[in-house]
Amino acid sequence: MMRSNAGATANGHTLPSLQHPLRNLSFLVIGAGSRGNAYARALIQSTPHASIAAVAEPDAFKRQSFGQKYIWVDAKPEPWQSFEDWRHFAAWEEDRRRRLEHESSGVDGVFVCTLDDTHAEIITALAPLGLHIMSEKPLATTLQDCLKIYRAVLPPGSTSPDTIFSIGHVLRYSPHNILLRKLLLEDEAIGEILSLEHCEPVGWWHFSHSYVRGNWRKESTSAPSLLTKSCHDIDLLLWLLCTPPTSAIQKPHLPSNVTSTGSLLYFKRSRKPSLAGNATNCYNCPAERECLYSAKKIYQENQLDKGNADWPVAIVDPEIKEIYRSDKKEEASQRLERRLKEDYHESDPSADRRPWFGRCVYEADNDVCDDQVVTISWQEDPLATSQCNREEERVKGRGTKLATFHMVASTEQQSERRGRVYGTKGEIEYDSKTIRIYDFATKESMTHHPRQLGGGHGGGDAGLAMAFFSAVQAVELQKMDVAEAQRLHIGCTLEEIVRSHAMVFAAEEARKEKKVVDWMEWWKAHVSDT
C-alpha cells in the first residue's frame, strides 16, 4: 500500500514518500467463492482507499451474500455492481465506454477468483479492456493456456505488459517468507545456499476435502495436485533460489534439471476397510463410526456442531452459513446432512462435474497424487567478467545447489509449511511461524518470530492484496511506470509467473515419464520457441 510516509514493498524495501495524495481505487471480483471473499476482505481491511465496486458470480446466493458484505450492504444493487458472470460485466463495460457514462465510473482492476480452468478464457477476454488484473493461482491448468494469457496481456510488439498483472502466489507476500528471503539473500545469514528442503503438509482431512471429494480431485477435470495445491510452493523455491535480490540487477540463476516422483498412495479402493463392504457414502456405511474420514465426523461433529459454519462447511453448501447464523441450527444441520447423503452411480457421466463431500474416500473418482517429491538442481552459472572481475563475486548466489519439495497429504499440520536451508556458513530451519538460524562459526542459534498479520497463508493473502493495490495506485498516480511498479510492488514479472508454472508442468512430465528433464532444453522446446 502506498502511503504519504515511507513504506515497505512486497520485497521488504522502503520507498520514498509520495508527494501525491492517495487516490481511491475500485475493483471487480469475479468469483464470489472462498478465494474471492478472502481477497475482498483482505483488501478492504488493509486500506480505506480501496473498494470492491462490483461482483460477477453465476450463483445468485453467493453473489447476493458477497454484495451485502462488501458492496451494496442493505441497499438494492445498482446495475453496475452485480453481474451474473464475467461476460455480462465485459458487455456492460464495453457499452459504458461507448456511451461514456462517467457518472458510474468503471473499475481500476479485477480479481479473477473462478475455477482454475476458466482463467484463460476470462483473462484473454478482459485483457483488451486495459484493466489491471490479479489472477488466483494457478494461472491456468495447461501450459498452452498459460502462454495464451501471457500473449494476451502483452501489447503487440512489447515484452512487458502496459497494465499490472499479478498472480495468487501468496507465499511471496507473508511477513515470514519476506523475512526468510531477506535473511538468505540480503543478510547472507548462512552464507551461500547449497541446498534447500521444503515441505507442504496438506493435512489429512483437508486433502480428503479438496482433493478426494472436492473440485480438484481429478486431473481430467482440474489439474495435477502439484499445480492446484502446490504451484506457489514451487514458485517460493524459484523466488528464493532463482530470483536475485531486488538490489542486484542481474539475470536470474535458472535451474538445470528437474525430476519428480509421486502417486496416489492411500485414497483408493485397495485401502478400503473390509467392514465398509460395498458402501459408497458415509451415511450408509457400517464402518462410519470407526473411519477417520467419516463425512459426518469431519463436517457435522467437528465443525458445525462446534459452531463453525464457515469453511469447510460453507463449501459443502454456502447457504448453511446464513441459516446457521439466523439461529436455525437444526435446519442448518438437516441441510448439511441432506447434502452429505448425496451420492452418484459410477455410470453417471456427470458425476465428475461437481464435488461429493459425503462420498467414501476409498470409492471416489479421484486420481491426483497425495504424495509427491520434486527435485530441482542448479549448475554453477557465473556472471560474465564484464559484470564482475572477482571470481567469488561472479558465482555469488549462482553456484551449484539443490532443492527438494515434498507435498504430503497425511499430516497433522494443515498447510503449515516447514523446511531447512543449508548454507556454507550455517543452517536455517523454518516453519510458518518461526525462523531459526544456526551459525557454524559461533555455534550459536537465533530464532526470529515474524509478525503474524492474521488472515490466510500467514498474512500472505493480505500482503498480496496490498501489493496489487500499491502497484495499481503507483501507476494510476503516474508515480511509476508499469514495469517499475510491477518490480517493486508485485515483485515478479509476467515471465517469472509463467516460469514457475512451467516448472510444475516440467516436473509432472518428469514424474509421468520417469525421467530427468533438462530445464533449458524443455523451456526452449515448450516455451521460448512457441
Side-chain angles (χ1 to χ4, degrees):
M1 176 175 56
M2 302 294 295
R3 295 189 181 277
S4 57
N5 59 331
T9 68
N11 287 317
H13 293 286
T14 301
L15 293 175
S17 301
L18 287 176
Q19 299 302 313
H20 302 275
L22 284 174
R23 182 195 143 197
N24 291 338
L25 300 178
S26 62
F27 297 89
L28 162 74
V29 173
I30 302 177
S34 59
R35 296 308 296 156
N37 273 270
Y39 289 124
R41 182 168 54 250
L43 189 65
I44 64 174
Q45 288 179 352
S46 300
T47 173
H49 299 288
S51 65
I52 307 300
V55 59
E57 165 59 54
D59 185 292
F61 178 83
K62 289 182 180 179
R63 186 172 64 249
Q64 179 66 15
S65 177
F66 185 95
Q68 288 176 334
K69 276 189 281 189
Y70 305 111
I71 308 173
W72 54 83
V73 193
D74 295 325
K76 182 179 178 181
E78 298 291 346
W80 57 84
Q81 294 177 321
S82 177
F83 300 93
E84 291 184 4
D85 66 14
W86 65 269
R87 294 179 184 85
H88 291 170
F89 164 76
W92 178 87
E93 177 63 12
E94 289 169 353
D95 183 60
R96 183 192 70 81
R97 293 183 183 192
R98 282 194 297 269
R99 293 184 288 112
L100 296 176
E101 289 189 352
H102 293 298
E103 67 272 13
S104 55
S105 60
V107 296
D108 298 287
V110 180
F111 287 83
V112 178
C113 304
T114 54
L115 288 176
D116 308 335
D117 61 356
T118 65
H119 294 177
E121 182 184 13
I122 295 171
I123 295 170
T124 54
L126 295 184
L129 295 177
L131 298 170
H132 305 287
I133 296 174
M134 201 302 293
S135 172
E136 173 58 337
K137 64 88 181 169
L139 183 61
T141 56
T142 67
L143 179 62
Q144 291 72 25
D145 277 349
C146 288
L147 296 176
K148 186 185 297 183
I149 292 172
Y150 178 85
R151 290 188 287 265
V153 300
L154 289 178
S158 175
T159 58
S160 60
D162 55 9
T163 55
I164 296 297
F165 190 90
S166 184
I167 185 71
H169 285 158
V170 290
L171 297 184
R172 285 179 176 240
Y173 301 92
S174 73
H176 177 282
N177 291 334
I178 290 173
L179 176 58
L180 177 62
R181 177 175 155 90
K182 178 179 182 295
L183 290 169
L184 289 171
L185 302 189
E186 296 180 25
D187 299 350
E188 300 176 15
I190 59 171
E192 289 288 293
I193 298 172
L194 298 175
S195 63
L196 182 154
E197 54 190 40
H198 175 77
C199 176
E200 180 183 12
V202 182
W204 61 276
W205 72 262
H206 179 204
F207 192 92
S208 73
H209 167 74
S210 296
Y211 303 95
V212 179
R213 292 163 164 155
N215 283 320
W216 298 278
R217 67 188 185 273
K218 290 188 72 172
E219 189 171 332
S220 61
T221 57
S222 178
S225 52
L226 185 65
L227 182 74
T228 59
K229 185 70 184 87
S230 302
C231 67
H232 52 182
D233 291 274
I234 297 298
D235 177 73
L236 177 69
L237 296 185
L238 298 186
W239 185 49
L240 295 177
L241 299 177
C242 278
T243 307
T246 307
S247 57
I249 307 300
Q250 58 184 241
K251 63 180 182 179
H253 184 199
L254 298 177
S256 56
N257 300 297
V258 59
T259 189
S260 179
T261 58
S263 63
L264 178 61
L265 298 183
Y266 186 68
F267 297 100
K268 51 188 177 181
R269 188 169 293 169
S270 63
R271 299 282 194 167
K272 187 177 183 181
S274 57
L275 179 61
N278 295 323
T280 59
N281 185 278
C282 293
Y283 279 80
N284 60 20
C285 179
E288 183 269 325
R289 281 294 82 191
E290 300 177 15
C291 183
L292 282 173
Y293 297 96
S294 159
K296 184 176 181 180
K297 291 179 184 175
I298 290 174
Y299 300 105
Q300 181 76 56
E301 297 173 9
N302 295 340
Q303 301 294 335
L304 191 62
D305 288 355
K306 294 182 178 180
N308 178 33
D310 288 302
W311 188 92
V313 174
I315 302 299
V316 178
D317 186 331
E319 295 189 38
I320 290 175
K321 181 165 62 173
E322 298 303 321
I323 296 170
Y324 189 87
R325 289 178 176 175
S326 300
D327 263 347
K328 300 176 181 177
K329 296 182 179 180
E330 183 61 30
E331 182 181 338
S333 180
Q334 292 172 356
R335 186 180 180 98
L336 176 60
E337 181 175 327
R338 286 197 302 271
R339 292 304 302 269
L340 293 176
K341 285 181 175 179
E342 294 174 352
D343 205 353
Y344 64 88
H345 191 274
E346 290 181 358
S347 62
D348 184 355
S350 64
D352 60 4
R353 297 178 188 171
R354 50 155 289 189
W356 302 87
F357 293 108
R359 183 77 176 185
C360 172
V361 295
Y362 308 105
E363 293 280 357
D365 57 353
N366 59 300
D367 59 14
V368 298
C369 292
D370 57 14
D371 201 298
Q372 185 168 358
V373 174
V374 177
T375 303
I376 307 172
S377 57
W378 282 257
Q379 293 177 350
E380 191 171 286
D381 182 24
L383 295 172
T385 53
S386 59
Q387 295 178 273
C388 188
N389 291 323
R390 295 174 58 193
E391 183 66 25
E392 63 179 311
E393 290 298 319
R394 291 178 59 216
V395 298
K396 185 177 179 180
R398 310 182 68 82
T400 305
K401 54 198 174 191
L402 184 73
T404 59
F405 166 66
H406 187 195
M407 184 274 290
V408 54
S410 190
T411 63
E412 173 190 4
Q413 293 297 325
Q414 184 173 299
S415 298
E416 297 286 330
R417 274 85 174 173
R418 54 181 180 249
R420 288 178 181 265
V421 191
Y422 306 97
T424 56
K425 296 180 180 180
E427 175 184 337
I428 279 182
E429 178 183 7
Y430 63 87
D431 55 25
S432 295
K433 297 182 175 63
T434 62
I435 302 171
R436 176 181 174 273
I437 305 170
Y438 179 79
D439 188 294
F440 294 160
T442 65
K443 297 181 176 60
E444 294 179 350
S445 65
M446 174 182 293
T447 300
H448 294 266
H449 298 270
R451 70 188 190 280
Q452 299 291 312
L453 295 181
H457 298 96
D461 288 358
L464 173 55
M466 287 312 304
F468 182 57
F469 169 83
S470 298
V472 174
Q473 183 73 271
V475 170
E476 294 300 320
L477 287 175
Q478 299 182 344
K479 184 67 177 178
M480 297 180 186
D481 61 26
V482 170
E484 185 182 10
Q486 183 86 24
R487 182 175 66 86
L488 287 177
H489 292 293
I490 304 302
C492 67
T493 64
L494 184 57
E495 182 174 328
E496 285 181 85
I497 294 171
V498 172
R499 184 186 301 134
S500 63
H501 284 76
M503 180 59 74
V504 173
F505 294 116
E508 275 297 288
E509 182 178 311
R511 180 183 70 86
K512 292 176 179 178
E513 298 182 17
K514 300 180 180 180
K515 67 181 185 180
V516 176
V517 168
D518 183 301
W519 172 250
M520 295 300 189
E521 289 182 2
W522 192 95
W523 177 266
K524 185 176 187 297
H526 293 82
V527 181
S528 60
D529 282 357
T530 62

